[in-house]
Each structure stands twice: as structure tokens, then as C-alpha cells.
Amino acid sequence: MRRPMEEMYGLEYLAKTFDAWVNAMVHFASKPSGNICRHLLPFIECPTLILHGQKDALVPPFHPEFIHHQVKDSRLHVLPEGKHNLHLRFPAEFNRLVEEFLK
């Protein structure tokens, strides 16, 4: 997984971005409930598209479901064979869903 990311973003940018991600995860873990913005979801007032891969090992299925129930005017679409990189593995379907949502 590292090599394609290095090729796409470059080693320096990837290292910097990964370092920032690790720091963010450490910060999130320091929150007693892990909550960083859950209370803000009901205040989102724009149409929201939520895409999730059913086989995503990084984001459990209850996350997009919870967001969908908390955000008014949200649309949830789950790709049964999708993992975490939907835009790369299913570009045609991903783009179609986004284009339909934006119409």
C-alpha cells in the first residue's frame, strides 16, 4: 500500500501527511469518549452524500449509519465490495454517484 501512495503523492508529502494523521489519531484517542464532533452533526444543513465500502476495514459500518441518521438531508450509499479507497477501486461508480448527487 505504501508504494502506490508514494508514487501518487511523493515521499515528502506522504511522510508529512502521515505524521499529521498519526498526531490527529493520538489527539482523538486522548478524548475520553472518542467524540470530536458528534454533537455537531445535527447542525449540518446542506445536502450530504455519504459513501461507504461494506468491506472497509478502517471504518466500521455503524459510522456512516450514525452520520446518516444525524445529518438531515443526507444520502447514504454502501458499495458491497468496496473497501476504504472507493474512488480508486470503483472510479466509474464513485463518479456516477457524486455526479448524480450534485445534479
Side-chain angles (χ1 to χ4, degrees):
M1 182 172 181
R2 180 178 169 176
R3 184 170 297 148
M5 299 294 275
E6 286 177 355
E7 290 171 4
M8 182 179 294
Y9 298 109
L11 183 57
E12 184 180 332
Y13 179 80
L14 179 61
K16 191 167 112 176
T17 303
F18 186 73
D19 186 52
W21 181 83
V22 169
N23 289 336
M25 293 302 109
V26 169
H27 174 72
F28 297 160
S30 71
K31 300 286 185 185
S33 68
N35 178 18
I36 59 167
C37 62
R38 196 177 322 152
H39 61 289
L40 299 173
L41 294 174
F43 296 105
I44 297 174
E45 296 183 358
C46 62
T48 304
L49 176 62
I50 304 161
L51 298 176
H52 180 69
Q54 187 67 42
K55 296 181 177 182
D56 188 335
L58 300 175
V59 179
F62 70 87
H63 281 217
E65 289 286 342
F66 180 82
I67 293 169
H68 178 55
H69 288 105
Q70 296 296 311
V71 176
K72 296 178 268 270
D73 198 19
S74 67
R75 212 181 303 171
L76 172 61
H77 185 87
V78 177
L79 283 79
E81 295 300 314
K83 295 183 182 177
H84 196 69
N85 58 351
L86 300 174
H87 63 296
L88 297 174
R89 303 262 290 153
F90 302 97
E93 186 172 5
F94 179 90
N95 289 336
R96 180 184 57 76
L97 291 165
V98 172
E99 287 174 3
E100 287 175 3
F101 176 76
L102 293 174
K103 287 182 180 178

